[in-house]
Amino acid sequence: MKPFVQAAFCLCLSSALLASVLFAPTALADGQENPRTSPHYEVRERYNYRDPQAAYWEGFELKNEGDCEAAIERLRPLARNGRGYESAQHAYGLCLMSLGGLPTESGTNFDAEKVRGNDQFLQGRIWVMRAANAGNFQAQRTLLALYAANLGPDSDPVEIGKWLRLYDVNPLRLTLGATDQNDGLRSHLQQSIARSDYLDGKELARNWTPTYWAPPGVQHHR
């Protein structure tokens, strides 16, 4: 209570009466609980509590369950937040590529030309690239897998060498101790390009700095 308001109250009421007016429980009808003192208040609070992060994870959970159509509706606004949401950008890109015809299971036959010309696949690849350019190691690995399937954004062997090196030395991957699937992806790609191309790519990686996609109207950052 502000001092001048309290002073006005004190002119009319004794201190004891003032305390009884300010702090006494509100009178309730017989049998009705006082929400300030009810032993069930905390139980109701816990029941009605919703984790503010729950909405963030819904898209990832739906993606992991294979429901990409529902997942993209939740992942799209997260991905469009820009920097700091690279995991959502990667997941969003994967779902778009899946809806564009890219198989979600290895060993599945598909028409590469048809996938390569699909708009959803192309949009998904753009989002994967954005996350990879920001340093997300999972997106970088996805990009390598796209190169291995001849679905990469280009066919430049030096770029393949660059991304191989960037993934190898990605500090977050190394810090987390993330292990690769034993699928021979990196060794396959390294053997598919000339040694000179790999070394040139390695040099590009040495001078590489992450870039962060920003929504339209927001300044891009490096």
Side-chain angles (χ1 to χ4, degrees):
M1 181 176 291
K2 296 180 180 179
F4 65 86
V5 176
Q6 188 172 7
F9 266 93
C10 290
L11 291 175
C12 304
L13 301 172
S14 68
S15 60
L17 183 56
L18 178 62
S20 67
V21 170
L22 293 178
F23 303 111
T26 305
L28 298 170
D30 291 343
Q32 189 173 350
E33 292 179 350
N34 184 339
R36 295 181 181 177
T37 60
S38 169
H40 305 296
Y41 180 72
E42 290 185 4
V43 174
R44 285 198 297 269
E45 282 288 290
R46 291 195 298 271
Y47 179 79
N48 293 324
Y49 174 77
R50 178 171 173 80
D51 183 355
Q53 295 295 322
Y56 176 86
W57 294 112
E58 283 178 356
F60 294 93
E61 292 170 357
L62 287 166
K63 170 193 165 292
N64 292 337
E65 292 168 2
D67 189 357
C68 270
E69 289 190 2
I72 60 173
E73 296 303 318
R74 291 162 175 79
L75 291 169
R76 183 187 296 113
L78 296 174
R80 289 179 175 175
N81 282 329
R83 185 171 184 174
Y85 289 83
E86 287 77 24
S87 291
Q89 292 172 359
H90 177 229
Y92 180 51
L94 285 174
C95 268
L96 284 173
M97 291 194 300
S98 173
L99 295 176
L102 187 69
T104 56
E105 297 181 4
S106 61
T108 304
N109 292 325
F110 66 99
D111 187 338
E113 279 300 319
K114 186 176 180 180
V115 170
R116 196 178 291 113
N118 184 279
D119 287 340
Q120 281 188 303
F121 169 79
L122 294 175
Q123 282 298 313
R125 190 175 65 188
I126 288 173
W127 283 103
V128 169
M129 280 291 298
R130 287 168 176 169
N133 280 321
N136 182 282
F137 72 89
Q138 293 172 314
Q140 290 174 355
R141 180 175 172 82
T142 295
L143 185 58
L144 292 175
L146 291 173
Y147 273 118
N150 294 318
L151 293 172
D154 53 63
S155 56
D156 187 349
V158 176
E159 280 294 299
I160 295 176
K162 182 189 79 174
W163 287 111
L164 276 168
R165 181 61 178 172
L166 288 173
Y167 180 76
D168 281 342
V169 299
N170 188 296
L172 185 56
R173 182 181 76 86
L174 297 175
T175 300
L176 294 175
T179 57
D180 286 336
Q181 299 96 318
N182 187 25
D183 54 10
L185 172 63
R186 285 189 287 170
S187 60
H188 166 75
L189 282 172
Q190 193 161 347
Q191 292 169 13
S192 70
I193 61 176
R195 176 70 175 170
S196 58
D197 290 329
Y198 175 72
L199 293 176
D200 288 344
K202 188 175 179 180
E203 184 64 19
L204 287 179
R206 189 175 71 84
N207 298 312
W208 177 87
T209 55
T211 56
Y212 302 93
W213 176 83
V218 178
Q219 185 177 0
H220 287 58
H221 302 282
R222 289 187 68 88

